[in-house]
Amino acid sequence: MLHAPIIGDGRPQLDMPSLLEMLARSSSRPRYAFMVLNLIAQVSRSDGSAGPVVAKGGGLIPLRDWLCDALTPMGQRDPRRITLEERIRSDLEISGALPADADQATAVVDDAIREQVRASGKTNVSRAVSELVRAGLLKRHYQGYCVDHHNRGAQRQAVYVLAGCARGLIRGRQEQPRAVPRQAELAF
């Protein structure tokens, strides 16, 4: 007797072509939405939730900022990005805020570009997440200073939870084991 394998959790299996088809139907920018969904899946915990902060470089940054920074390299060669860099450099030169040292000037311009790109990137990420929520692939809530308040602001950060067949994106990933320090354990 041959039987089909039984799936234990009752959820539909992740079928990448159907996921891409769902994104193509529900999103105005399906490739961007897929990248956002994939990045959220990469930083999500075993329960499928990601946020409100992500560990990066020894520090913690808000999830939306991390998503913007992770997606920034996609637009490096965009003509609008090059125009933005030229405009910021000329504005800083005119205002006299550009240092004389070339390395310091480059750092100042890069910081100003990063802030501009992050501001517009948050809007793009928020729009993509809203489309993923409408498609039933994500759930969104806020966590922080005032939980379950009708005002979404007030120093609260977004938390995204994978839902539906998007939960399968984390199924194959191994979560990093955390070292638990024990009493009287010495590192040699």
Side-chain angles (χ1 to χ4, degrees):
M1 285 194 236
L2 298 174
H3 297 284
I6 298 173
I7 307 302
D9 62 359
R11 273 189 242 121
Q13 287 291 322
L14 176 69
D15 181 25
M16 194 60 70
S18 62
L19 176 66
L20 293 174
E21 181 182 340
M22 183 185 301
L23 285 173
R25 279 187 278 119
S26 63
S27 176
S28 60
R29 299 186 321 178
R31 289 178 287 204
Y32 188 80
F34 180 73
M35 286 188 288
V36 169
L37 183 64
N38 194 19
L39 287 170
I40 291 170
Q42 282 182 6
V43 295
S44 66
R45 293 176 285 282
S46 60
D47 64 348
S49 64
V53 292
V54 175
K56 179 182 177 187
L60 298 174
I61 63 170
L63 177 62
R64 284 180 45 192
D65 289 350
W66 180 83
L67 287 169
C68 293
D69 292 347
L71 292 166
T72 296
M74 298 303 294
Q76 293 292 353
R77 295 184 303 179
D78 186 20
R80 289 177 293 188
R81 178 75 54 88
I82 296 167
T83 304
L84 175 67
E85 181 178 354
E86 292 170 356
R87 183 178 53 86
I88 287 175
R89 185 173 291 279
S90 68
D91 288 348
L92 289 172
E93 285 175 355
I94 291 171
S95 67
L98 196 64
D101 181 42
D103 292 336
Q104 288 178 351
T106 302
V108 168
V109 169
D110 287 345
D111 288 342
I113 290 171
R114 187 177 309 110
E115 290 303 315
Q116 290 260 343
V117 168
R118 190 180 272 181
S120 64
K122 283 183 182 180
T123 303
N124 293 332
V125 166
S126 182
R127 186 175 301 132
V129 166
S130 294
E131 291 174 345
L132 292 168
V133 168
R134 278 194 299 273
L137 297 171
L138 275 183
K139 292 179 183 175
R140 170 179 42 201
H141 66 275
Y142 297 89
Q143 187 174 340
Y145 175 74
C146 195
V147 180
D148 297 334
H149 191 270
H150 68 278
N151 179 9
R152 292 190 198 187
Q155 301 173 359
R156 296 180 348 150
Q157 300 293 329
V159 176
Y160 304 133
V161 182
L162 297 171
C165 64
R167 289 291 298 257
L169 288 171
I170 61 172
R171 193 168 284 144
R173 191 185 80 224
Q174 295 289 329
E175 194 159 318
Q176 298 295 327
R178 293 186 182 149
V180 179
R182 295 183 353 205
Q183 184 176 356
E185 187 175 275
L186 299 173
F188 291 102

